[in-house]
PDB file of all heavy atoms in Angstrom:
ATOM      1  N   GLY A  89      55.877  21.203 -28.632  1.00 96.00           N
ATOM      2  CA  GLY A  89      56.312  22.271 -27.760  1.00 96.00           C
ATOM      3  C   GLY A  89      55.392  23.435 -27.514  1.00 96.00           C
ATOM      4  O   GLY A  89      55.606  24.212 -26.624  1.00 96.00           O
ATOM      5  N   LYS A  90      54.412  23.437 -28.243  1.00 97.00           N
ATOM      6  CA  LYS A  90      53.329  24.504 -28.095  1.00 97.00           C
ATOM      7  C   LYS A  90      52.355  24.006 -27.019  1.00 97.00           C
ATOM      8  O   LYS A  90      51.593  23.039 -27.264  1.00 97.00           O
ATOM      9  CB  LYS A  90      52.616  24.761 -29.383  1.00 97.00           C
ATOM     10  CG  LYS A  90      51.359  25.766 -29.211  1.00 97.00           C
ATOM     11  CD  LYS A  90      51.818  27.152 -28.933  1.00 97.00           C
ATOM     12  CE  LYS A  90      50.636  28.117 -29.004  1.00 97.00           C
ATOM     13  NZ  LYS A  90      51.120  29.476 -28.642  1.00 97.00           N
ATOM     14  N   LYS A  91      52.315  24.620 -25.832  1.00 98.00           N
ATOM     15  CA  LYS A  91      51.429  24.278 -24.794  1.00 98.00           C
ATOM     16  C   LYS A  91      50.259  25.106 -24.809  1.00 98.00           C
ATOM     17  O   LYS A  91      50.341  26.353 -25.139  1.00 98.00           O
ATOM     18  CB  LYS A  91      52.135  24.416 -23.425  1.00 98.00           C
ATOM     19  CG  LYS A  91      53.384  23.508 -23.253  1.00 98.00           C
ATOM     20  CD  LYS A  91      54.101  23.719 -21.922  1.00 98.00           C
ATOM     21  CE  LYS A  91      54.722  25.197 -21.811  1.00 98.00           C
ATOM     22  NZ  LYS A  91      55.368  25.381 -20.558  1.00 98.00           N
ATOM     23  N   LEU A  92      49.108  24.528 -24.513  1.00 98.00           N
ATOM     24  CA  LEU A  92      47.772  25.244 -24.374  1.00 98.00           C
ATOM     25  C   LEU A  92      47.154  24.864 -23.091  1.00 98.00           C
ATOM     26  O   LEU A  92      47.195  23.748 -22.665  1.00 98.00           O
ATOM     27  CB  LEU A  92      46.885  24.912 -25.560  1.00 98.00           C
ATOM     28  CG  LEU A  92      47.391  25.280 -26.959  1.00 98.00           C
ATOM     29  CD1 LEU A  92      46.414  24.746 -28.037  1.00 98.00           C
ATOM     30  CD2 LEU A  92      47.439  26.891 -27.077  1.00 98.00           C
ATOM     31  N   LEU A  93      46.557  25.837 -22.414  1.00 98.00           N
ATOM     32  CA  LEU A  93      45.818  25.658 -21.184  1.00 98.00           C
ATOM     33  C   LEU A  93      46.692  24.962 -20.079  1.00 98.00           C
ATOM     34  O   LEU A  93      46.238  24.273 -19.258  1.00 98.00           O
ATOM     35  CB  LEU A  93      44.564  24.847 -21.391  1.00 98.00           C
ATOM     36  CG  LEU A  93      43.546  25.387 -22.450  1.00 98.00           C
ATOM     37  CD1 LEU A  93      42.472  24.427 -22.642  1.00 98.00           C
ATOM     38  CD2 LEU A  93      42.981  26.790 -21.950  1.00 98.00           C
ATOM     39  N   GLU A  94      47.943  25.313 -20.006  1.00 98.00           N
ATOM     40  CA  GLU A  94      48.849  24.624 -19.162  1.00 98.00           C
ATOM     41  C   GLU A  94      48.958  25.226 -17.766  1.00 98.00           C
ATOM     42  O   GLU A  94      49.464  24.623 -16.824  1.00 98.00           O
ATOM     43  CB  GLU A  94      50.293  24.624 -19.764  1.00 98.00           C
ATOM     44  CG  GLU A  94      51.027  25.965 -19.708  1.00 98.00           C
ATOM     45  CD  GLU A  94      50.686  26.929 -20.758  1.00 98.00           C
ATOM     46  OE1 GLU A  94      49.747  26.616 -21.649  1.00 98.00           O
ATOM     47  OE2 GLU A  94      51.229  28.037 -20.874  1.00 98.00           O
ATOM     48  N   LYS A  95      48.388  26.449 -17.553  1.00 98.00           N
ATOM     49  CA  LYS A  95      48.604  27.177 -16.311  1.00 98.00           C
ATOM     50  C   LYS A  95      48.068  26.427 -15.102  1.00 98.00           C
ATOM     51  O   LYS A  95      48.774  26.375 -14.076  1.00 98.00           O
ATOM     52  CB  LYS A  95      48.002  28.546 -16.461  1.00 98.00           C
ATOM     53  CG  LYS A  95      48.864  29.454 -17.375  1.00 98.00           C
ATOM     54  CD  LYS A  95      48.281  30.850 -17.504  1.00 98.00           C
ATOM     55  CE  LYS A  95      49.030  31.705 -18.457  1.00 98.00           C
ATOM     56  NZ  LYS A  95      48.437  33.055 -18.665  1.00 98.00           N
ATOM     57  N   PRO A  96      46.899  25.940 -15.124  1.00 98.00           N
ATOM     58  CA  PRO A  96      46.418  25.193 -13.910  1.00 98.00           C
ATOM     59  C   PRO A  96      47.354  24.009 -13.437  1.00 98.00           C
ATOM     60  O   PRO A  96      47.615  23.880 -12.296  1.00 98.00           O
ATOM     61  CB  PRO A  96      44.967  24.719 -14.253  1.00 98.00           C
ATOM     62  CG  PRO A  96      44.603  25.613 -15.322  1.00 98.00           C
ATOM     63  CD  PRO A  96      45.812  25.980 -16.109  1.00 98.00           C
ATOM     64  N   LEU A  97      47.730  23.197 -14.430  1.00 98.00           N
ATOM     65  CA  LEU A  97      48.625  22.081 -14.071  1.00 98.00           C
ATOM     66  C   LEU A  97      49.980  22.640 -13.534  1.00 98.00           C
ATOM     67  O   LEU A  97      50.424  22.029 -12.556  1.00 98.00           O
ATOM     68  CB  LEU A  97      48.927  21.270 -15.360  1.00 98.00           C
ATOM     69  CG  LEU A  97      48.305  19.909 -15.499  1.00 98.00           C
ATOM     70  CD1 LEU A  97      48.625  19.333 -16.835  1.00 98.00           C
ATOM     71  CD2 LEU A  97      48.632  19.022 -14.422  1.00 98.00           C
ATOM     72  N   GLU A  98      50.464  23.705 -14.103  1.00 98.00           N
ATOM     73  CA  GLU A  98      51.757  24.221 -13.637  1.00 98.00           C
ATOM     74  C   GLU A  98      51.609  24.869 -12.170  1.00 98.00           C
ATOM     75  O   GLU A  98      52.527  24.822 -11.421  1.00 98.00           O
ATOM     76  CB  GLU A  98      52.299  25.171 -14.641  1.00 98.00           C
ATOM     77  CG  GLU A  98      52.785  24.439 -15.901  1.00 98.00           C
ATOM     78  CD  GLU A  98      53.355  25.412 -17.030  1.00 98.00           C
ATOM     79  OE1 GLU A  98      53.371  26.611 -16.723  1.00 98.00           O
ATOM     80  OE2 GLU A  98      53.775  24.803 -18.077  1.00 98.00           O
ATOM     81  N   ILE A  99      50.449  25.499 -11.993  1.00 98.00           N
ATOM     82  CA  ILE A  99      50.161  25.969 -10.669  1.00 98.00           C
ATOM     83  C   ILE A  99      50.150  24.908  -9.646  1.00 98.00           C
ATOM     84  O   ILE A  99      50.758  25.031  -8.513  1.00 98.00           O
ATOM     85  CB  ILE A  99      48.861  26.840 -10.646  1.00 98.00           C
ATOM     86  CG1 ILE A  99      49.046  28.105 -11.415  1.00 98.00           C
ATOM     87  CG2 ILE A  99      48.402  27.149  -9.181  1.00 98.00           C
ATOM     88  CD1 ILE A  99      47.791  28.890 -11.603  1.00 98.00           C
ATOM     89  N   ILE A 100      49.545  23.772 -10.023  1.00 98.00           N
ATOM     90  CA  ILE A 100      49.518  22.595  -9.058  1.00 98.00           C
ATOM     91  C   ILE A 100      50.946  22.131  -8.844  1.00 98.00           C
ATOM     92  O   ILE A 100      51.334  21.839  -7.691  1.00 98.00           O
ATOM     93  CB  ILE A 100      48.651  21.463  -9.620  1.00 98.00           C
ATOM     94  CG1 ILE A 100      47.156  21.948  -9.629  1.00 98.00           C
ATOM     95  CG2 ILE A 100      48.813  20.207  -8.828  1.00 98.00           C
ATOM     96  CD1 ILE A 100      46.296  21.060 -10.344  1.00 98.00           C
ATOM     97  N   ARG A 101      51.699  22.071  -9.897  1.00 98.00           N
ATOM     98  CA  ARG A 101      53.116  21.600  -9.777  1.00 98.00           C
ATOM     99  C   ARG A 101      54.004  22.436  -8.941  1.00 98.00           C
ATOM    100  O   ARG A 101      54.776  22.017  -8.086  1.00 98.00           O
ATOM    101  CB  ARG A 101      53.684  21.499 -11.178  1.00 98.00           C
ATOM    102  CG  ARG A 101      55.199  21.001 -11.215  1.00 98.00           C
ATOM    103  CD  ARG A 101      55.832  21.303 -12.594  1.00 98.00           C
ATOM    104  NE  ARG A 101      55.784  22.734 -12.854  1.00 98.00           N
ATOM    105  CZ  ARG A 101      56.086  23.337 -14.029  1.00 98.00           C
ATOM    106  NH1 ARG A 101      56.344  22.514 -15.050  1.00 98.00           N
ATOM    107  NH2 ARG A 101      56.205  24.619 -14.201  1.00 98.00           N
TER     108      ARG A 101
END
Side-chain angles (χ1 to χ4, degrees):
K90 174 70 175 178
K91 297 179 291 182
L92 296 172
L93 301 174
E94 75 280 3
K95 289 180 182 177
L97 256 175
E98 292 181 358
I99 289 170
I100 292 169
R101 180 194 63 193

